[in-house]
Amino acid sequence: MYGYSREEALGHISNQLLQTQYPGIKNSAFATVMETGSWEGRLVQTRKDGSVIVVDGKRVLDRDAGRILEVTREVTDEIAHSERFKVLVESVKDYAIFLLDTKGRVSSWNEGARRIKGYEDHEILGRHFSAFYPQEDIEAGKPERELRMARESGHVEDEGWRVRKDGTRFFALVVVTALYDLSGKLTGYAKVTRDITARQLERQRLLDLERSKSAFLNLVAHELRSPLTVLRGYLSMFRDASSERRRDLEERSLPALEAKTIEMSRLVDQMVEVARLEEGSLRLRADRVDLCAIADEAVGLVRALEEPPAHSIVFEPFPGELNVLGDPERIQMILSNLLSNAIKYSPSGTEVTVMLDQTAELGRVAINDQGVGIPLSEQIRLFSRFMRVDRPGSDHVPGTGMGLYLSRELARRMGGDIVLQWSGPGGSSFALLMPLAEK
Ligand code: ADP
């Protein structure tokens, strides 16, 4: 191992011959052997050819013979290997890789751990690893449970929220492995943690989307079912009626049949528009149109379709034309939506007012109702897709949450907007704003 022959070595003081160094050892190994009878430790020595080797040494005192027996085993390669491994672990940035002692205290810390969890070595070494868990998990005994499971099955995987040094949370994918020495004694745990917050948020987003989609399909099916029931009812009455009775039935049922058909086509039109919007295939005209005439028409339609007892719809026309740039069919659709909401969310017998005015650049149609109003907390989400306000007393009101979302998108794409001007327990006021056409 050292390269010396017996002749070359005999008679030399071994520490001089081998240039023995004691890395990190304060007490003299010689004194320890003399006092306690033995010494064990790591040594750095030099071969005859000058190369340095690392050995694990053991010295035992034979008092009677006045000798010290020294046994060494070379560990240079093992050390180089584990040093390389340390460097590898240390340089990993995307994973927190660290060790815990048997009590769960942090005993090593790598670059990834510093980056993901925010602690420097001196801030975390020696601290219990429950520092990484949210309070509720600590109270529920989760950190201890994780170690126990790792001990029992050798290895445990977990996903969940963890806490950084600054108190912010991240979603972690964690693997804990129990570590044992050759005799089977537990020496600690290795933990590898990955920050998968982005992935988790995306998962959550898809889940929410899936949920809102099926809730939406449910609502649409429900919305289509009620007018269909009315249509089918009338159809079977027609089928069974005598020819005189049919005439009478015709007169009574036509307005309802028309109203229900229009209700269904409006719903289908809205769905088609939303699909176009989201596919990016929506084409909008930019015609010069009279906002006042379109509003008048929308009011006329709503009035004709309302079943008694109805609202009183007050239309205050603009003196003269109010020419804006936009797609007349879409403006009509938006105003019908706003009017239908004003009616749906206010008690019958109350007034719905439609007023027009203009500013320097915009034409405005305001639709005011005396209805239930919208709680302040819901007002910011009002224009989100498929958003409906949950409030006691209006659960029975039909709707899909498409109307305001679609209306605002359409208005904005025509260079205008829809705004909630005010809302409270006494009612609400929505306005459509459209860019004025050149004179
Ligand atoms: P819906 O199909 O549910 O009517 P909208 O997108 O048109 O969908 O409206 C979204 C939500 O905004 C409705 O569920 C309703 O609670 C609320 N809302 C809209 N307009 C009014 C209004 N004039 N008064 C009170 N609440 C309204």
Side-chain angles (χ1 to χ4, degrees), residues 32 34 36 58 86 112 176 239 263 273 288 310-311 374 385 397 423:
T32 308
M34 297 312 285
T36 65
K58 182 161 180 147
K86 258 197 209 149
V176 187
R239 195 187 50 218
E263 197 180 301
E273 285 284 273
R288 179 190 173 89
H311 292 75
I374 299 148
R385 196 171 66 147
V397 178
S423 185

Side-chain angles (χ1 to χ4, degrees), residues 337-338 341-342 344-345 369 371-374 382 384 387-391 394 398-405 423 428 430:
N337 269 333
L338 295 181
N341 278 348
K344 277 198 302 191
Y345 300 104
D369 65 53
V372 291
I374 299 148
L382 208 56
S384 313
M387 141 75 194
R388 303 202 71 206
V389 178
D390 286 324
R391 57 159 94 73
S394 75
T400 56
M402 249 189 316
L404 284 181
Y405 162 70
S423 185
S428 311
F430 284 87

